[in-house]
Amino acid sequence: MVDRTFKTHVIENRYLKVTLLPEFGGRILSIIYKPTGHEQLYRTEVGVPYGMKAGVFYYDWLMVYGGIFPTFPDPEHGKTWLKPWDFKVVKESAGEVTVSMSLKDDFAYSAAPTQFLKGATGIEATYYVTLKADRAALDTRVVLKNPNAQAVDYEYWTCTTLAPGSEQKNPKTTGGAEIVAPIEAYSTPAWSANLSEGDESLGLGRSRFEKLRYFKNWPTMGIAYAAPDMQGRNFWGVINHDNEEGIIRIADNRVTRGLKMWTWGFPSFTKETDARKDPNEQRPYVELWAGVSDQFFHRAKLPPRGEVSVTETYSPTVGMSNVTDANENILINFSAEASNVNLQFFSIEPATPLRITLKRGDAILFNDTVKADPKNGNRISATIPSGGSGEPVRLTITTVEGKELIAAETRIK
């Protein structure tokens, strides 16, 4: 075992403490949500090499340390996960810190397995990370540029290793973890087909996304892809039902239409070992990927002199059991039953006073000013006068000045 010290950079405000590790894959290593004191990302201090000479990874081996990091120009953790990225402070003020981590694909590994791209693509990647003083979420943007006069084949995936609601010194996904994703069906590669045994078959190699939502139902390691996509929705993430803390990625999934889900299986938690006494690559985390293509090794093309931008917001959640709608301002869990309408929400700018209005038709069910609670979250329940199943209930959340932050509709069940 070899100890190595890395130089990290920390940015923080009253809500988040974020640790960046540019010199090892350009990654966000840690996001601590200060109101609860909990870690939102998985990380380990002991990386264990695996897959050596198996023909699976670009360098014919891999080692996972965790965090969130950009993956290009190939799948399966790409070729930059162990490379140093150039770090730069782009903006530093009382209201905002923005930094960048950048790298150019101008290198190649001659012995890469045959399924990977040969040579260098020349793609220039810059990963911008922004923390604003009033936001309880981290904003990022990956910009990929093709400086060439011809189109290049490539893949881009953001890899996230998630373990929300964890103790800072021992982050891990537990039996309470649920993958929150707006998909109805998933598919698996043939070697991961056993993952789908607990879910209803939908034909054409697809299964209903139900039991596999829960980390405890993953029997072993494997891959599951959203099939075919995320139904036009803009979020996914993980909620830890042990303490109802979550971490949700909000992004335009028309740009990143691929969602790849991976874990080592629930035994990685139940049989977890001390990493220093018994190093083992199988660790308890949920690994979710956002890709510009639908699956690994389904390449996209970056046009001549072309550019693609992937904008992402990573927001913690507290007190929410699910997410039904989200944007850069608010995350909500909104539902209605015969006699009640129920709302859970997390405000990304907790200090901003809100006005919440719930209506069924012209009837106002709730209309009041609410202050967001960044430590416990917010829950609102309102009585529905007698009405029929299927009727819509409308939610609007605005600032007290009337600026709309989010609007949504649900139907009475």
Side-chain angles (χ1 to χ4, degrees), residues 307-330:
E307 178 179 308
V308 63
S309 179
V310 179
T311 301
E312 302 168 314
T313 292
Y314 291 94
S315 175
T317 65
V318 290
M320 294 181 65
S321 58
N322 191 21
V323 176
T324 57
D325 295 273
N327 62 24
E328 70 279 6
N329 307 307
I330 305 275

Side-chain angles (χ1 to χ4, degrees), residues 4-16:
R4 177 179 172 186
T5 299
F6 293 99
K7 181 179 180 179
T8 60
H9 300 262
V10 175
I11 54 178
E12 64 182 305
N13 62 14
R14 70 178 113 167
Y15 304 114
L16 299 181

Side-chain angles (χ1 to χ4, degrees), residues 313-364:
T313 292
Y314 291 94
S315 175
T317 65
V318 290
M320 294 181 65
S321 58
N322 191 21
V323 176
T324 57
D325 295 273
N327 62 24
E328 70 279 6
N329 307 307
I330 305 275
L331 299 94
I332 65 171
N333 178 24
F334 184 38
S335 63
E337 301 171 348
S339 58
N340 288 284
V341 56
N342 298 296
L343 171 67
Q344 299 171 331
F345 75 87
F346 179 85
S347 175
I348 289 178
E349 296 188 6
T352 301
L354 306 172
R355 175 161 289 277
I356 296 180
T357 305
L358 294 165
K359 298 176 70 175
R360 189 193 72 182
D362 294 329
I364 296 176

Side-chain angles (χ1 to χ4, degrees), residues 100-122:
S100 68
M101 296 178 281
S102 57
L103 182 145
K104 182 177 181 178
D105 176 28
D106 58 1
F107 53 92
Y109 177 56
S110 60
T114 57
Q115 69 268 34
F116 294 100
L117 294 169
K118 301 303 175 188
T121 64

Side-chain angles (χ1 to χ4, degrees), residues 177-249:
E178 178 186 358
I179 299 170
V180 176
I183 64 175
E184 293 183 354
Y186 66 91
S187 63
T188 61
W191 66 270
S192 290
N194 64 316
L195 295 181
S196 64
E197 291 176 358
D199 280 322
E200 176 189 356
S201 173
L202 299 178
L204 299 174
R206 298 180 181 180
S207 302
R208 186 177 304 282
F209 189 51
E210 188 171 338
K211 291 187 177 180
L212 209 63
R213 290 181 183 273
Y214 300 95
F215 177 47
K216 64 184 179 182
N217 292 333
W218 286 67
T220 184
M221 69 174 182
I223 291 176
Y225 292 107
D229 51 33
M230 283 151 283
Q231 306 179 97
R233 310 301 292 278
N234 67 338
F235 65 88
W236 49 249
V238 172
I239 289 178
N240 177 0
H241 294 300
D242 292 341
N243 54 20
E244 296 296 29
E245 287 192 47
I247 179 77
I248 303 295
R249 172 190 178 267

